[in-house]
């Protein structure tokens, strides 16, 4: 009973630990609830080390744990949840360098208690699969577009259309996170949450889903989610500007510029707390900046923008093909076809926001063909739009009598667009050829580094040498065993001879009235058996007589301790020394054979490991 009470008390302390640390950060002084909620959830994310786990690693952990085969409403107990979290964090430590290892047990305890407090407030000891997926996919690291794509795959049907009932269930689960950090009055779930996100009941596909949730501003109930990701991106951003309120010159994070007061800028700490001075008021509109651009860069960007060299508005996310999104519970589903359209200022059209592992691209060259078709389709669409814009512009110019330079400018812009598309297609084609060449080299390398039996068949000389070495090793081991047995028998005989020699000396001493050379205290150790030294000890026998007789009875040692040994003693010493020399040479030869065989096995094993690492 005492132990159960102590465990329960420890669990309560651990349960409150994260919330106590969060209160110590004094986030409640932040004036705006959106920033307050995002800061609290970002603190929980970093304190539990979830920001180090990418969303694709999280999806792979779901698959390894078998969650992709369970229904969303299935329940799992806390012990299984702890096992899943342990797998996630131990896999994370394997990916991290040794200097950045995390405390796995502490992270598991903090996250487990936070999840239980958030999704099991009634203390049933169980969580639904969808609750766990929604929480971990939202709070882990990675890009927001990848998270939303995974969430859409969980709430859409087989035709790639979002099910409103499933989205409502997702909102119920994800809006428990603000409630857990005491922001429920601002961002708690209501029955009208779905209508605020999608006011018009219509067919919602992936691109529409991303457009709405990644808009500026996003739906009110989820406005904290993109802000949490922006917080993560600007934590180490430095602005060489002085804060107009606190006069701090080390402005880190966000920077806010007033749209009415010229040159009035605030750091994020002052803006979040509602500080203002001079003619500035908190009612003025402020613009949030997440990076710093020098005046020269601003001027060049403005000139380029005015000349049409850069796009006026960048899309919030890549455009994905309008097809059904399969549930992304396995890594095979995470690599979708490349976007139809991307930022035209990028070097390659293939550079989208979604991660595209090289291994998956190499294994699926058909995706490159589809990508090429998508580029051609987009070029045709752009050309059609350019033709329409040309016709409309000519009509307008004729009706309003605009100068002909506008028409030539449109032609030049369309020509630049076509040239850019052609360049992108050429680069895409070159990249495709490079990837195919990489795949060919990889296949050749895999064929060249086959497993050991196939390599042995291709190289019979190597197999013969290995067999010879192993046969030689077995033969030397048999000889070693025989010599050890012979040595033991010789030592036993040596013990008997020394015993006779001692008896003879005692008789002679008794007849002459003198004292024997050996001490009577050594008689009890005459029958001690000699231990056999293991060859795996790695010690080489020495060539001194005393070391050769280590472990022999005291009579033998005493006999060889005399300054002038008898002839019999010399003979026995020579015999023992010869045995020792033979054993030493045999051990050295056996070790050399073992080292050669082990080096060969290590070379073959390292070759296989290198091939596997390159394949991965």
């Amino acid at each position: 009973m005492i132990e159960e009470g102590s465990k329960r008390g420890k669990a309560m302390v651990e349960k409150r630990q994260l919330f106590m640390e969060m209160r110590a950060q004094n986030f409640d002084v932040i004036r705006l609830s959106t920033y307050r909620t995002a800061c609290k959830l970002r603190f929980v994310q970093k304190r539990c080390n979830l920001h180090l786990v990418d969303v694709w690693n999280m999806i792979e952990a779901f698959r390894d744990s078998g969650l992709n085969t369970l229904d969303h409403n299935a329940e799992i107990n806390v012990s299984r949840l702890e096992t899943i979290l342990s797998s996630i964090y131990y896999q994370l430590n394997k990916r991290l360098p040794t200097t950045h290892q995390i405390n796995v047990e502490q992270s598991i305890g903090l996250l487990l208690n936070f999840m239980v407090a958030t999704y099991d407030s009634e203390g049933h000891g169980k969580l639904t699969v969808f609750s766990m997926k929604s929480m971990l996919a939202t709070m882990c690291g990675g890009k927001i577009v990848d998270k939303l794509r995974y969430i859409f795959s969980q709430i859409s049907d087989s035709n790639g259309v979002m099910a409103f009932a499933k989205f409502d269930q997702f909102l119920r689960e994800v809006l428990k996170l603000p409630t857990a950090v005491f922001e429920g009055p601002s961002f708690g779930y209501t029955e009208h949450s779905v209508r605020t996100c999608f006011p018009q009941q219509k067919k919602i596909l992936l691109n529409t889903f991303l457009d709405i949730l990644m808009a500026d501003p996003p739906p009110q109930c989820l406005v904290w989610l993109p802000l949490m990701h922006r917080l993560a991106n600007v934590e180490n951003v430095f602005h060489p500007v002085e804060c107009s309120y606190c006069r701090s010159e080390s402005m880190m994070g966000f920077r806010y510029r007033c749209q009415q007061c010229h040159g009035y800028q605030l750091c994020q700490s002052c803006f979040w707390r509602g500080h203002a001075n001079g003619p500035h008021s908190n009612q003025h509109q402020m613009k949030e900046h997440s990076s710093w651009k020098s005046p020269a860069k601003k001027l060049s960007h403005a000139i380029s923008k005015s000349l049409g060299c850069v796009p006026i508005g960048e899309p919030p996310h890549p455009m994905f093909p309008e097809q059904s999104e399969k549930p992304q519970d396995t890594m095979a589903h995470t690599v979708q076809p490349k976007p139809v359209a991307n930022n035209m200022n990028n070097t390659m059209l293939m550079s989208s926001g979604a991660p595209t592992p090289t291994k998956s691209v190499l294994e699926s060259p058909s995706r490159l063909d589809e990508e090429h078709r998508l580029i051609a389709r987009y070029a045709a669409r752009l050309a059609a739009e350019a033709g329409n814009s040309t016709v409309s512009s000519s009509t307008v110019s004729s009706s309003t009598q605009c100068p002909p330079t506008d028409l030539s400018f449109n032609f030049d812009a369309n020509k630049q667009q076509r040239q850019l598309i052609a360049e992108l297609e050429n680069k895409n084609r070159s990249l495709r050829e490079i990837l195919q060449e990489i795949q060919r080299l990889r296949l050749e390398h895999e064929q060249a580094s086959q497993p050991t039996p196939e390599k042995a068949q291709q190289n019979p000389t190597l197999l013969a040498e290995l067999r010879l070495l192993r046969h030689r090793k077995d033969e030397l081991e048999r000889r070693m065993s025989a010599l050890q047995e012979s040595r033991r028998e010789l030592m036993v005989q040596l013990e008997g001879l020394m015993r006779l020699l001692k008896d003879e000396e005692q008789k002679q001493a008794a007849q002459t009235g003198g004292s024997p050379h050996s001490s009577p205290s050594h008689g009890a150790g005459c029958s001690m058996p000699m231990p056999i030294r293991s060859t795996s000890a790695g010690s080489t026998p020495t060539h001194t007589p005393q070391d050769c007789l280590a472990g022999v009875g005291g009579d033998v040692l005493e006999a060889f301790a005399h300054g002038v040994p008898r002839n019999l003693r010399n003979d026995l010493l020579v015999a023992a020394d010869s045995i020792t020399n033979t054993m030493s040479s045999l051990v050295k030869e056996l070790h050399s054979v073992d080292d050669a065989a082990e080096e060969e096995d290590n070379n073959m094993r390292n070759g296989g490991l290198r091939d596997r690492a390159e394949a991965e």
Side-chain angles (χ1 to χ4, degrees):
M1 295 296 293
I2 297 176
E3 293 181 357
E4 292 180 359
S6 62
K7 290 182 179 179
R8 193 175 298 114
K10 183 179 179 181
M12 292 298 294
V13 171
E14 293 178 350
K15 186 175 182 179
R16 297 194 186 111
Q17 180 182 354
L18 185 62
F19 296 99
M20 293 172 62
E21 293 180 0
M22 183 179 65
R23 288 184 182 275
Q25 299 296 319
N26 201 18
F27 291 123
D28 292 330
V29 300
I30 300 177
R31 181 170 55 98
L32 301 176
S33 60
T34 304
Y35 286 95
R36 191 168 59 244
T37 304
C39 288
K40 289 181 179 180
L41 292 177
R42 175 62 178 169
F43 172 79
V44 173
Q45 183 191 47
K46 294 183 66 176
R47 188 65 182 86
C48 297
N49 289 312
L50 277 176
H51 66 295
L52 301 175
V53 183
D54 192 82
V55 61
W56 305 114
N57 300 125
M58 193 66 73
I59 296 172
E60 184 69 8
F62 294 160
R63 182 190 65 82
D64 293 339
S65 303
L67 298 181
N68 57 323
T69 60
L70 299 178
D71 186 75
H72 282 174
N73 297 321
E75 294 183 339
I76 59 175
N77 54 28
V78 177
S79 60
R80 184 175 180 184
L81 174 61
E82 185 176 5
T83 303
I84 295 172
L85 298 181
S86 301
S87 174
I88 292 173
Y89 282 116
Y90 279 113
Q91 290 297 326
L92 171 63
N93 252 359
K94 291 181 181 178
R95 297 189 297 270
L96 294 176
T98 56
T99 56
H100 293 76
Q101 297 287 298
I102 65 171
N103 189 336
V104 174
E105 298 298 331
Q106 185 183 37
S107 301
I108 293 172
L110 291 175
L111 181 56
L112 180 65
N113 290 319
F114 179 75
M115 294 182 68
V116 171
T118 304
Y119 294 101
D120 187 30
S121 57
E122 298 180 359
H124 296 303
K126 293 182 179 180
L127 280 75
T128 63
V129 173
F130 191 65
S131 299
M132 191 189 67
K133 284 185 176 181
S134 301
M135 186 271 174
L136 293 178
T138 304
M139 294 294 292
C140 68
K143 298 180 180 179
I144 185 173
V145 63
D146 299 331
K147 295 182 180 181
L148 293 177
R149 286 179 59 199
Y150 172 71
I151 292 169
F152 185 82
S153 71
Q154 300 296 304
I155 61 176
S156 59
D157 56 18
S158 58
N159 296 322
V161 180
M162 187 192 76
F164 282 90
K166 292 184 178 180
F167 180 70
D168 182 73
Q169 184 182 3
F170 166 72
L171 287 182
R172 288 177 183 270
E173 302 301 336
V174 78
L175 292 181
K176 290 179 181 179
L177 293 172
T179 305
V181 294
F182 314 107
E183 297 297 333
S186 301
F187 300 105
Y189 172 81
T190 62
E191 295 180 356
H192 305 287
S193 298
V194 177
R195 295 181 182 177
T196 60
C197 297
F198 303 99
Q200 298 179 359
Q201 299 288 333
K202 58 182 180 179
K203 183 179 179 181
I204 305 298
L205 299 177
L206 173 61
N207 291 321
T208 307
F209 180 79
L210 296 177
D211 288 339
I212 294 176
L213 294 188
M214 297 183 66
D216 187 17
Q220 179 60 30
C221 61
L222 294 174
V223 68
W224 51 269
L225 181 58
L227 179 57
M228 186 177 70
H229 287 78
R230 296 204 306 272
L231 279 173
N233 294 331
V234 302
E235 284 182 347
N236 299 319
V237 174
F238 174 74
H239 304 270
V241 182
E242 183 184 47
C243 177
S244 299
Y245 182 85
C246 66
R247 302 302 176 184
S248 174
E249 296 181 356
S250 58
M251 193 181 294
M252 299 290 294
F254 286 121
R255 175 172 54 91
Y256 298 90
R257 175 186 289 272
C258 182
Q259 300 298 294
Q260 298 182 22
C261 304
H262 177 71
Y264 192 90
Q265 301 187 83
L266 292 177
C267 63
Q268 68 177 20
S269 179
C270 294
F271 176 75
W272 289 354
R273 287 160 174 78
H275 294 161
N277 59 349
H280 178 72
S281 171
N282 289 330
Q283 304 302 322
H284 292 180
Q285 184 179 3
M286 303 289 287
K287 185 176 181 180
E288 179 186 280
H289 294 272
S290 58
S291 62
W292 164 257
K293 290 183 179 179
S294 63
K297 287 186 177 180
K298 289 182 181 179
L299 179 61
S300 62
H301 183 76
I303 294 174
S304 301
K305 189 174 180 180
S306 63
L307 295 177
C309 298
V310 295
I312 297 177
E314 297 182 359
H317 65 86
M319 298 298 294
F320 298 95
E322 294 183 355
Q323 60 184 17
S324 60
E325 283 278 301
K326 299 180 181 179
Q328 299 177 0
D329 281 319
T330 61
M331 292 304 290
H333 295 143
T334 59
V335 182
Q336 300 294 332
K338 300 298 182 301
V340 177
N342 202 348
N343 184 4
M344 297 295 290
N345 195 30
N346 291 343
T347 305
M348 294 184 181
L349 193 61
M350 295 179 61
S351 302
S352 64
T356 55
T358 305
K359 180 179 178 182
S360 301
V361 174
L362 291 177
E363 293 175 353
S364 303
S366 62
R367 290 199 177 100
L368 296 175
D369 298 333
E370 183 177 358
E371 196 173 20
H372 196 68
R373 289 195 297 270
L374 291 174
I375 294 175
R377 188 187 309 169
Y378 177 72
R381 185 192 306 174
L382 190 59
E385 293 176 357
N388 294 334
S389 63
T390 304
V391 173
S392 61
S393 62
S394 62
T395 304
V396 172
S397 63
S398 62
S399 61
T400 59
Q401 296 181 358
C402 292
T405 56
D406 295 337
L407 184 61
S408 62
F409 179 79
N410 290 332
F411 279 124
D412 293 337
N414 295 333
K415 183 178 180 181
Q416 290 179 358
Q417 291 178 351
R418 288 193 297 270
Q419 290 177 353
L420 182 59
I421 292 172
E423 292 176 0
L424 291 174
E425 287 183 346
N426 292 332
K427 291 179 180 179
N428 189 24
R429 192 178 300 108
S430 301
L431 181 60
R432 181 189 174 198
E433 294 175 356
I434 292 173
L435 292 176
Q436 289 178 350
E437 182 67 17
I438 293 174
Q439 184 181 13
R440 184 184 63 80
L441 294 175
R442 176 186 170 193
L443 292 175
E444 291 179 357
H445 189 69
E446 289 179 353
Q447 293 176 358
S449 58
Q450 296 294 332
T452 305
E454 298 181 4
K455 288 178 66 176
Q457 292 178 1
Q458 296 177 2
N459 192 355
T461 306
L462 179 62
L463 180 61
E465 292 178 357
L466 282 175
R467 288 177 178 174
L468 182 62
L469 285 173
R470 289 173 180 170
H471 179 72
R472 181 65 173 167
K473 176 183 175 182
D474 295 338
E475 181 181 357
L476 290 174
E477 286 179 350
R478 288 193 297 270
R479 289 178 57 188
M480 183 72 177
S481 301
L483 287 174
Q484 286 181 345
E485 184 65 23
S486 301
R487 185 186 183 197
R488 189 186 65 81
E489 293 175 358
L490 287 174
M491 288 304 175
V492 172
Q493 295 177 6
L494 183 61
E495 284 285 341
L497 292 175
M498 293 304 299
R499 197 179 297 113
L500 294 176
L501 182 61
K502 181 181 176 182
D503 293 339
E504 182 181 356
E505 289 178 351
Q506 288 178 352
K507 290 180 181 179
Q508 292 178 359
Q511 292 176 1
T512 58
S515 60
H517 296 283
S518 61
S519 173
S521 62
H522 295 160
C526 295
S527 61
M528 180 184 297
M530 175 193 169
I532 301 177
R533 183 182 295 270
S534 172
T535 57
S536 62
S539 59
T540 305
T542 58
H543 300 286
T544 60
Q546 298 297 333
D547 293 338
C548 296
L549 298 176
V552 185
D555 293 337
V556 179
L557 293 176
E558 183 183 9
F560 284 97
H562 291 289
V564 183
R566 300 183 179 180
N567 294 333
L568 178 58
R569 295 173 188 168
N570 290 337
D571 294 339
L572 292 175
L573 178 59
V574 170
D577 201 10
S578 176
I579 293 173
T580 303
N581 293 336
T582 305
M583 290 289 293
S584 175
S585 61
L586 184 60
V587 168
K588 290 180 179 179
E589 186 174 1
L590 181 60
H591 284 176
S592 63
V593 174
D594 287 340
D595 293 339
E598 184 178 359
E599 182 179 2
E600 185 67 26
D601 292 338
N602 288 335
N603 291 336
M604 297 177 68
R605 190 180 300 109
N606 292 333
L609 290 175
R610 284 195 301 271
D611 297 341
R612 189 180 307 168
E614 293 177 357
E616 292 179 354

